[in-house]
Amino acid sequence: MEQEIFTMPKIGDQAPDFEAMTTQGMMQFSEYIKGSWTILFSHPADFTPVCTTEMTGFALLEDEFTKMNTKLVGLSIDSIHSHIAWVHNVKEKMGILMKFPIIADIDMKVAKLYSMLQPGESETAAVRAVFFIDPKGKIRLIMYYPLNVGRNMDEIVRSLQALQTADEHKVALPLNWRPGDKVIVSPPKTVDEMEARINSDYEMVDFYLAMKTL
Ligand code: BEZ
């Protein structure tokens, strides 16, 4: 059978727009995400173990994400009825409510748009994708995980904090950066900037690797 080819969304692209049914009603994605950060994430299937641990992980941190001006949007290729039953079941069994909208992508329209359907892994279930979208609707960071490996919430939160810190302070973040750690000052772009850098009080390995505390 011939395989459909879809363009993979890339960092720096405008997040593709769509209209979809969710557990919170119909959503026009571009309208919903306007002015806030958004984490759009897919899971392979409702009522499956790894997905349940991940989705409850997102639900438990939803208020923290809200404080970080960030909306959560889940997705799987399941019906709205399945989503509603799963949300109810998780609330009953675990006392955790998934308040964020979960897209019922039964026709796979959104999964295809965001390359969440990766046929080498599964023809019928979305892989575990995470798209970080900024308040201007631009894709800023993408993660893809296979069906059998759960994501890491610490890394998802850290990535968001890093993106927001980089934007706010116009800096870059080094290996394993966490809030409170030193940040990287942009490398000089001219000889004059380089001279100024050498005479600055930044913590420096050399002029091209300078760190400061925010
Ligand atoms: C899970 O969430 O446990 C799962 C879902 C689909 C395939 C494999 C595992």
Side-chain angles (χ1 to χ4, degrees):
M1 204 170 72
E2 226 173 90
Q3 265 189 9
E4 286 178 277
I5 310 283
F6 300 101
T7 314
M8 201 119 176
K10 291 181 282 302
I11 291 173
D13 287 355
Q14 207 60 25
D17 192 21
F18 57 83
E19 189 183 43
M21 174 60 82
T22 82
T23 48
Q24 303 295 332
M26 285 305 288
M27 173 189 287
Q28 187 69 46
F29 191 62
S30 58
E31 285 301 315
Y32 187 75
I33 68 174
K34 217 173 248 175
S36 63
W37 285 81
T38 305
I39 301 181
L40 170 66
F41 53 99
S42 54
H43 67 276
D46 298 347
F47 293 100
T48 53
V50 179
C51 297
T52 303
T53 63
E54 290 187 312
M55 297 297 268
T56 53
F58 278 110
L60 288 170
L61 287 184
E62 188 162 10
D63 291 347
E64 291 307 310
F65 284 116
T66 303
K67 283 184 201 151
M68 296 173 77
N69 186 31
T70 302
K71 290 178 174 168
L72 300 177
V73 181
L75 174 149
S76 77
I77 300 165
D78 286 295
S79 70
I80 198 73
H81 311 293
S82 168
H83 282 344
I84 291 168
W86 189 39
V87 168
H88 176 69
N89 181 266
V90 168
K91 184 171 164 240
E92 263 201 352
K93 303 285 177 194
M94 302 172 76
I96 298 170
L97 180 61
M98 299 180 228
K99 287 184 280 185
F100 52 82
I102 307 171
I103 295 166
D105 195 32
I106 199 78
D107 59 2
M108 307 185 186
K109 184 179 71 184
V110 184
K112 287 174 180 172
L113 209 50
Y114 280 81
S115 281
M116 293 164 170
L117 201 59
Q118 303 195 2
E121 181 71 351
S122 171
E123 301 264 4
T124 53
V127 295
R128 302 178 194 281
V130 191
F131 286 85
F132 295 74
I133 301 166
D134 74 15
K136 290 186 176 149
K138 192 186 270 195
I139 297 172
R140 300 290 299 279
L141 194 153
I142 303 172
M143 299 171 174
Y144 285 112
Y145 280 60
L147 298 194
N148 59 352
V149 178
R151 286 158 282 201
N152 182 313
M153 283 307 299
D154 289 346
E155 177 56 5
I156 289 171
V157 172
R158 190 197 76 98
S159 299
L160 179 65
Q161 289 167 329
L163 287 167
Q164 293 185 341
T165 302
D167 280 10
E168 187 181 345
H169 298 281
K170 307 275 176 286
V171 293
L173 294 321
L175 173 77
N176 295 335
W177 176 86
R178 291 209 164 258
D181 291 354
K182 290 191 170 60
V183 300
I184 293 176
V185 188
S186 305
K189 291 185 200 67
T190 62
V191 173
D192 284 352
E193 280 182 21
M194 187 265 285
E195 297 287 355
R197 174 67 51 89
I198 284 171
N199 295 316
S200 73
D201 52 10
Y202 293 142
E203 186 182 299
M204 258 185 293
V205 171
D206 205 332
F207 70 91
Y208 63 88
L209 175 49
M211 314 269 275
K212 68 173 183 182
T213 304
L214 287 175

